[in-house]
Amino acid sequence: MKAKEIKFLSNLDSRGTLTSIEGDYIDIPIDIKRVFYMHHVTSDRGGHAHIDTDQVLIGISGSFKLKLFDGKDTIEFVMDDCTKGVYVPRLIFTDMYDFTSDAVCLVLANTHYDMGKSLRSMDAYMSYLKEHNLV
């Protein structure tokens, strides 16, 4: 699986901690075209895969669990450290669950949103992978 955890540069001084993330392949392996965040989450999120979008997910506050599936292998992360993110390349089926009430998930994406370029169910995802000889 090509998904991986990324540790961000943090600078600590008497005022607190500043954590930075630079695009253009400096800190993350994508060029940022879209930024969004989820908060006040009341149920599971994700449940889909993007055909052409790579993302970096960051648990900014609280915690949640992230489960990734590439058609063969599954990997899970506990998202509870705002100095780390998870790189999720295109065509990885993503599920997010067990959100705490104060959880905030920041997402950096390399494309603009197009719902037509996502696979919204596991059946659609597996069919796409098989049709394109990816499993």
Side-chain angles (χ1 to χ4, degrees):
M1 179 168 305
K2 295 179 182 179
K4 64 179 179 178
E5 187 174 76
I6 301 168
K7 177 83 172 140
F8 303 124
L9 179 64
S10 294
N11 294 300
L12 172 67
D13 66 22
S14 62
R15 301 168 293 172
T17 305
L18 184 148
T19 300
S20 64
I21 303 167
E22 294 190 32
D24 294 329
Y25 302 89
I26 294 170
D27 294 322
I28 59 175
I30 64 172
D31 217 5
I32 302 167
K33 297 261 194 299
R34 181 171 183 246
V35 176
F36 64 95
Y37 54 96
M38 294 167 270
H39 53 95
H40 297 97
V41 178
T42 59
S43 64
D44 296 351
R45 299 293 309 230
H48 62 274
H50 296 281
I51 294 171
D52 68 345
T53 301
D54 304 319
Q55 300 179 323
V56 174
L57 281 69
I58 306 159
I60 295 297
S61 177
S63 69
F64 62 95
K65 293 179 182 161
L66 173 65
K67 181 168 69 170
L68 306 175
F69 176 65
D70 67 0
K72 297 176 188 168
D73 298 314
T74 299
I75 188 169
E76 293 189 49
F77 297 91
V78 175
M79 305 298 291
D80 63 356
D81 181 348
C82 64
T83 68
K84 296 178 183 176
V86 174
Y87 167 61
V88 181
R90 64 194 71 195
L91 290 175
I92 300 291
F93 199 87
T94 304
D95 285 305
M96 295 171 278
Y97 58 98
D98 285 349
F99 285 85
T100 60
S101 62
D102 60 341
V104 178
C105 175
L106 177 68
V107 181
L108 311 173
N110 72 333
T111 62
H112 298 286
Y113 184 68
D114 181 349
M115 187 171 174
K117 292 186 177 181
S118 61
L119 304 163
R120 309 299 291 175
S121 72
M122 184 60 76
D123 288 341
Y125 174 67
M126 292 306 295
S127 293
Y128 184 92
L129 293 181
K130 288 176 186 169
E131 180 181 319
H132 291 88
N133 297 315
L134 298 171
V135 287

